Every structure is written in C-alpha cells, then in structure tokens.
Amino acid sequence: MVISARVHYACLAMLELAMRAEDTAPVAVREITDQHNIPGPFLVQILRTLRTAGWVQSVRGSQGGYRLAIDPKQITLLDVAEAMGCQEGHTCGAEQATETDEALQRVWDKASEASREMLSSVRLSDLVEQCRHGEATMFYI
C-alpha cells in the first residue's frame, strides 16, 4: 500500500477536525493549512472528497469552514486512505509469471494485507486520545 501525500494530508485534516469535534465552531481551511503546512488548494480538494464521503460538513460565510460530521470512533485510517484512492501494492502484469514473479507477488500481497490490517485497527478517536495525552512518538536528534 502506498501512502500518498493526498492520503497523509487527508488524515491530518480529519485528525485536526476530530481534535476540535467537541467545539461546534467550524475550522477554517487556513487554520488547517497553517497548522500542518498543507497547500491550500490541495486541502480544499481533499475536503471536498471527504464531504462527498459524508465525513465532514462545510459551513459557508465569513465564519465558515469545516467540521467533522461523524463520530471519530467510526472512522479508521483505512477508511480515509480508501476514500482518497490509496493505491494497492504491485501486481505482476506479465501474462506468464515466473516462479520468481509469483514468490515476490506473495510477499507484496502479505505486506499489503498487513498494512490494511494495521490501518483498519486505528480509529481517529484513538489518535485524538494519543495527541491529547502526549502519547505520540517523539523523535530527538
């Protein structure tokens, strides 16, 4: 499974909205772009896709923006990845695959399944709790 920038940004936006889900005020696109360094026009496209999926609501006007339309416990990272069109692993395109092709394909399939299993086990609400309690992994140089 390939995690594209589109999927990564969609997960960041959904997590930001989930973090603010208790507040009824919509979150402006500018706030999300500033917080996470996501290009504005790209984020707008992503939010449109998420709105079409029924996961976010848009609010028009000077105080407008976006807010989560669904409980963060109901959305997994796999859901977001699939909504954004996450690419699956490599599939051998040869008409007559060799034993080597087939052996590698089995590894790619297992890796893809492990990725899907991992992403399906993480809900937005889990990440909200991690962020709020400082359980996110920190890296020091």
Side-chain angles (χ1 to χ4, degrees):
M1 177 175 290
V2 177
I3 305 298
S4 65
R6 182 174 170 83
V7 170
H8 180 72
Y9 291 155
C11 289
L12 283 173
M14 289 293 287
L15 183 54
E16 186 67 32
L17 295 176
M19 295 279 294
R20 300 177 186 211
E22 294 175 3
D23 184 6
T24 58
V27 181
V29 170
R30 181 73 168 189
E31 290 180 58
I32 300 171
T33 60
D34 290 349
Q35 182 74 21
H36 300 287
N37 297 317
I38 303 171
F42 195 30
L43 180 60
V44 170
Q45 290 175 1
I46 290 168
L47 289 168
R48 282 187 192 141
T49 301
L50 296 171
R51 187 183 68 207
T52 300
W55 297 338
V56 299
Q57 295 174 329
S58 61
V59 178
R60 294 180 182 238
S62 61
Q63 301 298 314
Y66 289 85
R67 64 177 154 229
L68 210 56
I70 191 168
D71 186 340
K73 293 178 185 174
Q74 296 179 317
I75 304 171
T76 67
L77 293 183
L78 181 62
D79 295 332
V80 177
E82 288 178 339
M84 291 295 110
C86 186
Q87 300 172 9
E88 285 299 318
H90 175 269
T91 301
C92 180
E95 283 185 28
Q96 295 185 5
T98 65
E99 283 185 40
T100 307
D101 290 330
E102 290 173 0
L104 278 173
Q105 187 60 51
R106 285 191 295 275
V107 172
W108 304 150
D109 291 345
K110 285 180 183 177
S112 179
E113 184 56 37
S115 295
R116 293 179 63 77
E117 188 175 312
M118 181 358 177
L119 293 175
S120 70
S121 72
V122 179
R123 301 192 176 286
L124 281 181
S125 58
D126 300 332
L127 291 173
V128 168
E129 287 302 311
Q130 286 180 19
C131 292
R132 286 190 177 149
H133 293 94
E135 295 173 14
T137 304
M138 306 269 300
F139 295 98
Y140 297 95
I141 297 177

